[in-house]
Amino acid sequence: MLWIALVDRIGSGLWASVSVLYFTYVTGLSVAQIGTLVAAAGAVGIAGAPLGGRIADCLPLTHVLIALQLLRALASCALLTTDNYALLLTFSAAGSFGDRAANVLTKLYATRVAGPDRVRYQAVNRTVANAGWALGGLVSAAALTIGSTAVYPWLLAGDALSFAAVALATARCGEPPSASRTITTSKDSALPVRAVSPWRDRTYLAYVATETVLFLDDAVFKIGLPLWIAHSDHAPHGLAPLLMVLNNVMVVTLQVPLARFGATTAEARALLIPLSAAFALGGVAMALSATGGAVTATLFLTAAATAFTVAEMLHATVSWELSAALAPGTAQGAYLGVHGLAAAVQRSLGPLAVTAAIAVGPLGWTAFGAIVSVTCAFQHRIVRDRLSGPTLSVPTVTVSEH
C-alpha cells in the first residue's frame, strides 16, 4: 500500500496546483463559477466518507477501493472532454466523492492489516504520501515554466493515469481480515454480521465533532498563513511558499519518529495535552508576528508554522489511534467513515474560521489557538470513559468451513 500511496499523491500533486488555472484558461470559467464548482464538489465529497465506510463493512475492501480509484480516473478523464459547466461540476463532484471515500478506505485497510501497529503504519504511509505530493508539485511547477496552456490537460491526464495505476496495484493486494464479515468456504462467500451504528453512538459523534476543529491545521497552511502574509505590512511575501516547504520537510522527517509516542491508545490520548499546547503557541506566534518589522514577522511566522506543523503531526498520530480504538470491530468501516466527515467538513468550514481570525487581527489568532487548544482538552475528557474499558482493537476474523 505504500507504493500505492506514493503514486496516488504524485498524481494529486500534478493536478492540485493547476486545477484553478485549467478551469480558468482551458474551460473558460469565471472566478465565481470556479468557486461554486469547488464548493459544490466538496459538499458532495462529504458524503463519500460515511458511504464508503458503510459499503466496506459489507463488501470486500479491495474491490471497493478498486472501484473508487477507477471512478476517480474516469472523473479526471471526463474533465478533459468538455467545457460545459454542468458537466464539469458533475465530473468534479464524482471525483471528490471518490477521493474522500478512498481516503477513508485506505485508512481502514491499514487498520485491518497493521492491527496494533496501525499508528506506525499510518505514519510511514503519510510520510510517503507527502513525498509523493511534493514530487508531483515539483513536476507540475517545472511543466508550468513552459508558459503554455497546452500543458494543463497533460497534467490532468497524468492525474487520471495515476488513479488507474493505483487501481491495478490494489488488485494485487490481499483482502485484509474483517470482523464485519464472516468469510466462509461455501457458496456463501461472505455473511455480514450484525453491526452497531455510529450515528447512534453519542460519544463517537461528539469525538468526531471535536476532530472537525482539530483538523483546522490544514486550513492554517492552505489559507491562513498565505493570506496573513499577503496582507502583512512587514512579512516578506516570498515567505509563504518557504513555510509550506518547512511544513512538508518536517512531516517527512519527523512523522514516523513522533508516531512511537502514540503507539498505544492510552499514549495517544495523553498526546492531546502537548497537542493543546502546540495549537495555543501557534496562535500566539501568529499574533506576535504583527508586532514588529520584517525580521520579527519572519521569526514569529516561522515559529507559528513550526508549532502548527507539530500540532499537525501530533494530531495525525492521535487521530489514527483513537478513531479506530473507539470503534467496535464489527463496524470499523462505518465508524471510520463517520470519522472521515471531520476532515471533509473542515474543508468547508476551515477557510471561514481562519479568514475570521485574519479579519479580527492578532487577537483573532490568539483566540483561534485558544479555541482549538480547549477543544483538545474537551476531547481528552470525552474519550476517557470509553477508553477506560477494554481496548477496541482489530479482532480476529472468523472463518467457517462447510
Side-chain angles (χ1 to χ4, degrees), residues 64-106:
V64 181
L65 267 172
I66 291 169
L68 290 171
Q69 298 295 0
L70 291 176
L71 172 63
R72 296 170 77 191
L74 290 173
S76 295
C77 287
L79 290 173
L80 293 167
T81 66
T82 183
D83 57 3
N84 179 275
Y85 185 67
L87 291 177
L88 290 172
L89 193 152
T90 300
F91 298 147
S92 296
S96 178
F97 179 92
D99 177 67
R100 299 314 305 165
N103 282 344
V104 167
L105 298 195
T106 300

